[in-house]
Amino acid sequence: HEAGLTGMNRVNSVQLRDTYTSASVVNELSLHFLDSKFTNYLLSPGPTFQYPGIQLRRQNFPLELNDRHLRALNKTSYTINGGFGHHVFKTGVEVTRTRTNVYRPSNGYGFFLFRRDTSSLPYEGRIAVGLTDPTSTREAEAAIHGWYLGAYLQDEWQPFRTLTVSAGLRYDAEINQDGKAFRPDGKTAATLLPAAFGLAGVNLHTY
């Protein structure tokens, strides 16, 4: 029971699409919005006790993960028939805005190791506290946000019915998606272990 979790998952997705066609052109424009939330909490919150034969509770919960993605994509194809064969030119542009918020106060309730199953006192303990606000877990919040950009150009040339030649270029970029996380106040999202356990200055990642 003490290792049990309760959680909630929610996913909302909305997509709008418009398609234009003519004798030689096909264009498709789409907008996609995705919003998801994932949470996990301990049924019985409290410190984690790890003995050689058993562990009570888990140290990496609660966990909250919120994702939002807004994507715009435009694809166009243009067909040409002539004396040099059949050409289909394809091009596309994609822009995606992403934002992820994570809340994970690892070792917030404390993590204690015991040498034997019958031990009454731990030989090692870990408790994560806020660097600037030791009275709360708000510094366990992190935000990762940025942009995805992509574009491509392709030509499918069919000089004969039995031969197709394809060539193209593609460019993709990720902006501000380097894996660094920041607290709501703009500082790096990390907690410090107190000197009482001999591990001062060791960062615990909050994502």
Side-chain angles (χ1 to χ4, degrees):
H1 170 74
E2 293 180 338
L5 299 173
T6 178
M8 184 270 292
N9 295 323
R10 184 199 69 206
V11 178
N12 297 316
S13 179
V14 178
Q15 186 171 26
L16 302 175
R17 181 178 298 173
D18 177 73
T19 303
Y20 167 80
T21 61
S22 67
S24 58
V25 177
V26 176
N27 188 86
E28 181 180 278
L29 173 65
S30 64
L31 296 174
H32 184 208
F33 175 73
L34 177 66
D35 177 74
S36 65
K37 183 175 183 179
F38 172 83
T39 60
N40 261 339
Y41 291 91
L42 287 168
L43 287 174
S44 177
T48 301
F49 299 143
Q50 182 170 315
Y51 298 87
I54 191 173
Q55 176 175 310
L56 304 178
R57 298 189 183 89
R58 309 184 191 188
Q59 73 270 26
N60 293 325
F61 294 93
L63 169 63
E64 294 184 9
L65 180 63
N66 296 284
D67 274 319
R68 282 190 175 182
H69 299 260
L70 180 60
R71 180 188 186 210
L73 174 63
N74 190 83
K75 297 185 293 184
T76 304
S77 63
Y78 179 60
T79 303
I80 300 177
N81 292 307
F84 295 98
H86 177 78
H87 284 269
V88 178
F89 295 97
K90 298 180 180 180
T91 183
V93 177
E94 175 185 350
V95 179
T96 303
R97 172 64 171 171
T98 65
R99 183 174 182 86
T100 301
N101 293 311
V102 181
Y103 173 71
R104 189 166 196 172
S106 298
N107 295 323
Y109 293 111
F111 178 72
F112 301 94
L113 295 169
F114 296 82
R115 295 190 185 277
R116 290 180 292 273
D117 289 342
T118 57
S119 298
S120 58
L121 294 176
Y123 72 91
E124 182 180 330
R126 307 170 191 169
I127 299 178
V129 296
L131 181 61
T132 60
D133 186 5
T135 63
S136 75
T137 59
R138 67 178 184 85
E139 294 181 47
E141 299 177 1
I144 305 172
H145 52 85
W147 297 84
Y148 291 101
L149 305 176
Y152 68 90
L153 177 64
Q154 178 180 325
D155 177 26
E156 291 184 0
W157 175 41
Q158 191 175 27
F160 310 105
R161 182 172 298 180
T162 57
L163 176 64
T164 300
V165 180
S166 298
L169 298 173
R170 183 175 180 91
Y171 174 80
D172 292 283
E174 297 180 1
I175 303 175
N176 295 335
Q177 294 285 356
D178 55 2
K180 296 178 181 178
F182 298 92
R183 302 197 309 246
D185 59 5
K187 297 180 180 179
T188 55
T191 55
L192 293 179
L193 295 173
F197 297 105
L199 295 171
V202 179
N203 286 330
L204 286 178
H205 292 293
T206 56
Y207 63 96

